[in-house]
Amino acid sequence: MKILYFYQYFSTPNGSWGTRVYEFAKNWVEEGHEVTVVSSVFAKSDLEAEKLLETQYFDGIKVKIINVRTSNKDSVLKRVLGFLTYAFFSCFYAVTLKADIVIASSGPITVGIPGLLARWLRGKKLIFEARDLWPDGAIELGILKNKTIIALTRAMEKFCYNSSSLIVALSPGMRDYIKNKHGHKNVISITNTANLDLFDPEKADDSNIEFASRSYSIYTGNIGEVNNSYWLYNTAKVLKDRGREDVKIVLIGDGQQREELVELAKENEVGNLIFKSLMPKKNLVQYVLNAKFSLIPLKGLPVLDTSSPNKLFESLAAGVPVIQNTNGWIKDFLEEHQLGFTLDPNKPEELADLLIEYHDSDLDMELRNRARTVAKSHFDKNILSAQYLEEVIKVSES
């Protein structure tokens, strides 16, 4: 089977970004299928290109690279232009590349455009993958304000859903939201994945990192408003004011607010908030494996309660308990399996209290083993890849 996969942020483990599409496509190729991914060049991925349109291969995956560069640090206008440029050139591939089935992975919602062309001009079956609730997220965050643009993006969202044979949501929360709001019957949830081999606790070794094992909590990813990054800064400041600079928070990543938080921490001598630059996932592993907690802050907005952050699955694979502040499926999941804590996104004192408590009294090994066991049973990349492929085959044969 020939699978054509439109996804703007493709990355391998050599990049600093999620590898879901790489992992799934690699497994599908090993099963004998032909997978072509159409991607652009994202600042956190490991893709590089010299020509405007370029073809490269990664473990048997054919990747069509559209050399338009995007970054979370770009202005809204620059990002929108990047989305539209990607969609424009993707349309060429949508109408020319051989395919038995097409997957369009959004956001942004503009990724749906080539998928729609393949569906309606060529009669290809379309699977729409909802990685976030776009445009609702952009509207709640105040990024989209123009009523005409909001109406157009909502119409585009509805058209993508109605044109799809299957919708794959990246969390149970997204699945339920799409079912309830749009009434689409064929919606399933296949979450992001846990790479159990890469994040194996038995491989933990703190000799090559600056921090002793379990002496810090870690945040990895985008440093910005959506990720409630000031919550971490304010927590570190509370810890400093209480004389507990031995309780450290390590941030690894980049984003819109990184430079201002680095400057604030420097000005106010908040030395227990430690910033590390973006690094390939393979180098990130030891920082996660040796952390006491994995921190997953998000802004307190209803639409973010459906989120499916990569760091959740990587943390559980590493046997590291989670502290987060959404009120959706992640909160329910952590409570059900007793894998961590949910705190108020507006109260850094709560996080400071918890970090102090567990800095002075260690977490038991039973909790860490439980996190790893749950990751194996719910989020193993190979199991989820096989489930996804089974659904792809069903759609292609229907």
Side-chain angles (χ1 to χ4, degrees):
M1 180 171 51
K2 291 181 172 61
I3 302 168
L4 179 56
Y5 208 137
F6 292 98
Y7 173 53
Q8 195 160 351
Y9 306 120
F10 181 85
S11 181
T12 79
N14 291 321
S16 306
W17 187 245
T19 55
R20 169 192 174 92
V21 174
Y22 162 80
E23 289 165 351
F24 284 2
K26 181 174 181 288
N27 283 6
W28 298 350
V29 167
E30 290 170 355
E31 289 292 321
H33 301 284
E34 188 176 310
V35 184
T36 300
V37 178
V38 180
S39 182
S40 65
V41 180
F42 183 49
K44 296 180 181 179
S45 81
D46 58 324
L47 291 191
E48 293 289 343
E50 296 181 359
K51 301 175 183 177
L52 175 61
L53 303 177
E54 197 164 307
T55 302
Q56 297 180 16
Y57 289 86
F58 299 88
D59 294 311
I61 308 163
K62 182 188 289 186
V63 181
K64 296 286 188 179
I65 303 174
I66 299 167
N67 196 4
V68 52
R69 296 178 178 270
T70 58
S71 169
N72 289 339
K73 298 176 76 172
D74 290 340
S75 66
V76 173
L77 178 59
K78 188 174 180 180
R79 293 186 73 187
V80 169
L81 288 173
F83 299 156
L84 292 173
T85 304
Y86 169 82
F88 176 79
F89 285 104
S90 292
C91 288
F92 167 74
Y93 292 125
V95 298
T96 59
L97 291 180
K98 292 181 180 180
D100 297 310
I101 196 161
V102 175
I103 303 173
S105 187
S106 171
I109 196 66
T110 45
V111 176
I113 295 173
L116 290 171
L117 277 180
R119 168 68 183 89
W120 292 110
L121 289 183
R122 302 180 67 193
K124 303 299 181 182
K125 296 284 182 65
L126 175 63
I127 295 175
F128 191 81
E129 188 173 68
R131 305 181 76 88
D132 53 34
L133 294 174
W134 217 101
D136 288 23
I139 294 167
E140 284 194 22
L141 289 164
I143 297 170
L144 286 184
K145 299 177 183 179
N146 183 281
K147 291 183 179 179
T148 301
I149 294 177
I150 288 173
L152 288 171
T153 53
R154 286 202 186 282
M156 176 68 176
E157 176 194 37
K158 185 176 181 180
F159 191 28
C160 287
Y161 290 154
N162 290 342
S163 300
S164 301
S165 300
L166 174 69
I167 299 171
V168 179
L170 263 66
S171 78
M174 288 184 211
R175 176 198 60 205
D176 296 343
Y177 183 96
I178 293 168
K179 278 186 175 181
N180 294 335
K181 182 177 178 181
H182 296 277
H184 201 294
K185 294 181 181 179
N186 202 8
V187 187
I188 63 171
S189 172
I190 297 179
T191 66
N192 279 321
T193 63
N195 190 324
L196 296 162
D197 295 329
L198 189 62
F199 289 90
D200 185 349
E202 292 187 3
K203 298 176 182 176
D205 178 7
D206 63 4
S207 62
N208 292 320
I209 63 176
E210 308 93 309
F211 316 105
S213 180
R214 315 304 177 208
S215 68
Y216 62 95
S217 295
I218 192 169
Y219 170 80
T220 64
N222 188 60
I223 300 173
E225 181 182 4
V226 175
N227 309 90
N228 200 16
S229 298
Y230 265 84
W231 188 55
L232 303 180
Y233 165 76
N234 289 327
T235 297
K237 195 168 185 304
V238 169
L239 291 167
K240 182 210 173 209
D241 293 342
R242 293 182 185 178
R244 294 305 304 266
E245 288 187 281
D246 58 319
V247 183
K248 294 178 170 33
I249 299 173
V250 177
L251 281 73
I252 302 178
D254 201 356
Q256 308 92 329
Q257 293 182 337
R258 187 183 193 277
E259 292 179 6
E260 60 190 82
L261 288 178
V262 168
E263 191 60 32
L264 270 176
K266 184 177 180 181
E267 286 178 6
N268 294 292
E269 298 181 343
V270 183
N272 55 331
L273 187 68
I274 300 162
F275 293 87
K276 302 288 293 181
S277 298
L278 272 176
M279 61 181 69
K281 191 177 293 290
K282 60 184 181 181
N283 296 342
L284 176 71
V285 170
Q286 287 302 328
Y287 288 92
V288 177
L289 287 175
N290 287 284
K292 183 180 287 285
F293 285 112
S294 176
L295 305 174
I296 309 179
L298 284 167
K299 197 170 182 178
L301 294 173
V303 73
L304 296 180
D305 291 342
T306 66
S307 296
S308 181
N310 280 302
K311 58 184 73 67
L312 169 67
F313 310 98
E314 293 169 352
S315 302
L316 298 181
V320 177
V322 168
I323 301 174
Q324 67 94 38
N325 50 30
T326 65
N327 287 304
W329 79 276
I330 297 178
K331 177 184 178 183
D332 296 339
F333 192 85
L334 293 182
E335 289 176 353
E336 178 185 354
H337 297 282
Q338 298 180 318
L339 298 174
F341 305 90
T342 297
L343 303 182
D344 191 312
N346 301 308
K347 294 182 178 179
E349 296 82 8
E350 284 189 4
L351 178 55
D353 290 341
L354 192 63
L355 296 184
I356 289 172
E357 176 184 352
Y358 284 97
H359 190 81
D360 296 334
S361 58
D362 201 10
L363 292 159
D364 58 44
M365 188 55 66
E366 181 184 347
L367 190 158
R368 297 188 181 281
N369 291 337
R370 187 163 60 247
R372 175 75 174 176
T373 299
V374 168
K376 286 181 180 179
S377 60
H378 287 75
F379 307 123
D380 183 295
K381 69 180 180 67
N382 295 320
I383 294 174
L384 293 181
S385 171
Q387 289 177 359
Y388 202 156
L389 181 59
E390 183 179 346
E391 296 294 334
V392 172
I393 293 171
K394 283 182 185 177
V395 170
S396 70
E397 294 177 347
S398 63

